[in-house]
Amino acid sequence: MTMTIRYQTTSQSLTQVDTVKNIPDDATIVWFDFEDVSEEENNYLTNNFNFNYLELEDAITGVPRVKYKAYKTYQYLVFHSMYKDDFSPIALNVFVNEKVLVTYHQNHFESLNEVAKMNSKHHDPDLDCADIVIHILDMMVDKYFDFVYTIEEKTYNFEAAHVDDTQSKKVMDNVFQIRSDLIKIKRVLFPMQELVNTIKTEDNLIVDSKHSMYIQHIDDHLIKQNNIIRTSQEWLMRLERISNLILPLE
């Protein structure tokens, strides 16, 4: 699609521009967002930012694992969300330093647009790149609840509807499908919670008490989501035990 450029100053809220030439010298934030970009825009990314070339290559060519790395001049993070239809992971790559934020993704992330709109309408002169990254992370994690509650409801409704006919092959096929979906969601949630714990431990992205409170809020949501998935797995395991089809949960 395209590369979107935004900036903010102490007197102007987050503003979108067509070219880097329109970024003022007093910009306190410059945000480059790359979404499903062309080869030319990929070349711009690799030629104009001093990021680790292996990580740039991973971002451009694949779906990197959830991660957090701190370098001398920037930090690199990978967040995961999920497709609605099959819960497979999609990656958001984030490169951030004091004044420059780069987000790179093959798929659309509505969270980015929401954060951009919010900060374009409401000017916070103290806003920094870390604030934006944490806002994005918070909105992404909040959207996990849609997936988590959907699979929780599917699990409980299925158990209630089929408690008396667990020997049916069709029923057990459905059990295995729900089980597969639960594992896919868990494979996103668990690494993301580890990522948040790493952010709290490393203390590089967190620069003040406001950040600390925000990160703790995100962590609390991830704990709740992981607990819901764990409980749903236990309900499903109960059906497997009834049918003597117990498989180890990941």
Side-chain angles (χ1 to χ4, degrees):
M1 289 178 64
T2 187
M3 176 180 69
T4 303
I5 306 170
R6 301 179 179 93
Y7 75 87
Q8 176 169 308
T9 69
T10 55
S11 60
Q12 184 176 357
S13 63
L14 199 64
T15 303
Q16 185 172 323
V17 292
D18 295 328
T19 173
V20 293
K21 296 179 181 179
N22 294 330
I23 299 173
D25 292 337
D26 62 344
T28 54
I29 296 174
V30 181
W31 178 5
F32 297 86
D33 180 49
F34 295 81
E35 179 178 345
D36 192 22
V37 295
S38 65
E39 182 177 353
E40 179 182 356
E41 289 159 332
N42 280 332
N43 289 336
Y44 182 90
L45 173 66
T46 56
N47 293 331
N48 289 277
F49 298 95
N50 189 27
F51 299 143
N52 183 295
Y53 76 95
L54 291 175
E55 289 164 351
L56 287 173
E57 183 177 319
D58 284 345
I60 291 171
T61 61
V63 181
R65 291 179 179 269
V66 172
K67 67 179 68 175
Y68 171 84
K69 288 186 178 180
Y71 295 92
K72 289 183 178 180
T73 57
Y74 71 95
Q75 298 169 71
Y76 173 53
L77 307 93
V78 180
F79 303 153
H80 276 187
S81 186
M82 294 166 262
Y83 286 108
K84 289 183 178 179
D85 55 350
D86 65 356
F87 306 111
S88 57
I90 53 178
L92 172 64
N93 300 269
V94 179
F95 302 85
V96 58
N97 63 25
E98 185 179 355
K99 291 186 178 181
V100 177
L101 168 64
V102 175
T103 49
Y104 186 98
H105 45 109
Q106 307 288 354
N107 305 92
H108 179 70
F109 281 83
E110 187 57 32
S111 302
L112 301 185
N113 291 336
E114 292 174 1
V115 170
K117 288 178 182 177
M118 178 179 64
N119 287 291
S120 64
K121 292 180 179 179
H122 306 286
H123 180 233
D124 176 2
D126 296 323
L127 188 75
D128 58 27
C129 289
D131 288 321
I132 294 178
V133 173
I134 293 172
H135 289 171
I136 292 170
L137 177 59
D138 181 45
M139 288 195 173
M140 286 183 62
V141 169
D142 280 349
K143 290 182 185 299
Y144 292 166
F145 279 111
D146 293 339
F147 305 111
V148 170
Y149 288 145
T150 295
I151 196 67
E152 179 190 40
E153 182 177 6
K154 184 183 294 186
T155 301
Y156 290 168
N157 288 346
F158 181 85
E159 197 274 345
H162 299 287
V163 67
D164 295 325
D165 58 353
T166 52
Q167 296 301 321
S168 164
K169 182 180 184 302
K170 181 179 179 180
V171 169
M172 293 315 301
D173 286 345
N174 290 335
V175 167
F176 293 142
Q177 181 59 56
I178 295 174
R179 185 175 184 275
S180 174
D181 291 341
L182 284 165
I183 291 173
K184 288 178 181 178
I185 295 174
K186 185 177 179 180
R187 285 177 174 171
V188 171
L189 297 184
F190 185 74
M192 287 296 290
Q193 188 170 5
E194 287 189 326
L195 169 72
V196 169
N197 288 334
T198 301
I199 291 174
K200 291 164 66 176
T201 302
E202 294 287 337
D203 211 26
N204 290 313
L205 192 66
I206 299 172
V207 298
D208 55 31
S209 59
K210 176 185 64 176
H211 290 164
S212 296
M213 292 176 62
Y214 218 150
I215 288 293
Q216 187 57 55
H217 165 78
I218 295 169
D219 193 25
D220 290 342
H221 280 188
L222 282 164
I223 290 171
K224 180 177 180 179
Q225 292 160 353
N226 273 299
N227 286 340
I228 291 172
I229 293 301
R230 187 179 302 109
T231 302
S232 296
Q233 286 184 310
E234 291 170 356
W235 275 89
L236 206 61
M237 184 185 294
R238 175 178 174 273
L239 285 179
E240 293 175 347
R241 282 174 176 162
I242 292 173
S243 301
N244 294 318
L245 289 173
I246 304 173
L247 295 174
L249 288 172
E250 299 186 12

